[in-house]
Amino acid sequence: MPSTLQLAVTAAASEFCAPAEALAERLALSCLGEAPEKLIDSDAVPFVLKCGERLQLCATGRKAPGPVEVDFVTGAVAHRRKFGGGKGQQIAKAVGVRGGFYPQVLDATAGLGRDAFVLASLGCSVRMLERNPVVYALLEDGVRRLREAALSDPELASIAARLHLEPAVTSAASWLAAQGAESIPVIYLDPMFPSRDKSAKVKKEMVAFHQIVGSDEDADSLLPPALAACYYRTVVKRPRLAPHLNGAQPSLCFEGKSGRFDVYTRHGVPG
């Protein structure tokens, strides 16, 4: 996260003070106890991680936008799972999903895990990598709550069984470089891209998320080790007008209104 931004941990209620203190120690952050984020001086502490029934990244101050959290059970992700178009989605075509073939996918830049969950809901086994410690904590909490919900929902149980969060890494590029040649069926990359369009319609809470995470200035370094480690293909998600990652021309491209999937093929997928 950018060093110019200050982040602290809070507890939503007294029963969450112990896990809040443990998280603060793990991330080397201050713990402010039960301080409500709306009453925290946003100039001194612009963001907090609030520990409660779920972990939330909250902006502080009276006019702060809503929180950011990882929710694989309800909301937009659940709606997309039920009504998002299934195998007809561009992401499914990009990774090579087709009748009877559901490749194993490594999402090396998992972020909030939304695309990984979509792929798992389509039938792929997905491993998630995330290097930002704050985002990793949010992901970890989302996976925990997914597994809890899966205990009483067979459909979620099958998805949860296909979704795996790898241990925290400091560099996805280094992790990929340490893998054997052609050892991972499909690698998926969605590095954070700096927005140049100030009028872009981005939800206010996601603006806060982008401020914490920053852009992946070393994104180009991900592609060479990914191409070496993948067996079938590497898929790169990009804004529609963004340059190709590492300047490399893809084999295939699936383009939408605001984004695209660049596909770098190595071996043809079955089917």
Side-chain angles (χ1 to χ4, degrees), residues 68-227:
V68 174
E69 61 189 33
V70 173
D71 185 0
F72 294 131
V73 180
T74 62
V77 171
H79 185 272
R80 184 174 176 183
R81 170 168 60 92
K82 296 174 182 177
F83 309 108
K87 296 177 187 176
Q89 298 176 73
Q90 285 191 327
I91 189 172
K93 296 175 183 178
V95 302
V97 172
R98 55 190 64 185
F101 181 68
Y102 305 92
Q104 294 181 0
V105 180
L106 174 78
D107 185 347
T109 53
L112 295 175
R114 292 168 181 169
D115 287 343
F117 182 81
V118 167
L119 291 172
S121 69
L122 292 174
C124 297
S125 176
V126 186
R127 298 157 62 195
M128 298 182 291
L129 283 184
E130 177 53 50
R131 68 175 179 177
N132 184 286
V134 173
V135 182
Y136 188 90
L138 292 169
L139 260 182
E140 195 174 42
D141 179 70
V143 170
R144 174 188 62 80
R145 287 184 287 104
L146 170 63
R147 302 208 184 289
E148 289 177 353
L151 295 175
S152 58
D153 186 327
E155 184 180 353
L156 282 179
S158 64
I159 296 172
R162 293 191 292 268
L163 192 64
H164 310 279
L165 179 60
E166 292 287 313
V169 298
T170 55
S171 168
S174 297
W175 190 95
L176 287 168
Q179 307 309 302
E182 301 188 2
S183 61
I184 303 172
V186 174
I187 295 175
Y188 183 81
L189 304 175
D190 180 16
M192 191 72 76
F193 188 77
S195 175
R196 294 187 174 89
D197 184 0
K198 295 183 180 180
S199 65
K201 295 180 180 179
V202 178
K203 291 183 178 179
K204 290 181 180 180
E205 60 266 25
M206 290 309 296
V207 171
F209 175 76
H210 291 166
Q211 285 182 272
I212 278 287
V213 177
S215 59
D216 290 320
E217 301 295 343
D218 58 350
D220 285 342
S221 68
L222 288 169
L223 190 59
L227 295 179

Side-chain angles (χ1 to χ4, degrees), residues 189 191 219-220 222-223 236 238 243-248 260 262 264:
L189 304 175
D220 285 342
L222 288 169
L223 190 59
V236 182
R238 301 293 275 167
H244 297 306
L245 197 63
N246 204 35
R260 69 174 198 268
D262 293 341
Y264 299 85

Side-chain angles (χ1 to χ4, degrees), residues 227-240:
L227 295 179
C230 75
Y231 181 81
Y232 291 114
R233 57 181 56 181
T234 292
V235 178
V236 182
K237 185 178 182 180
R238 301 293 275 167
R240 188 171 65 86

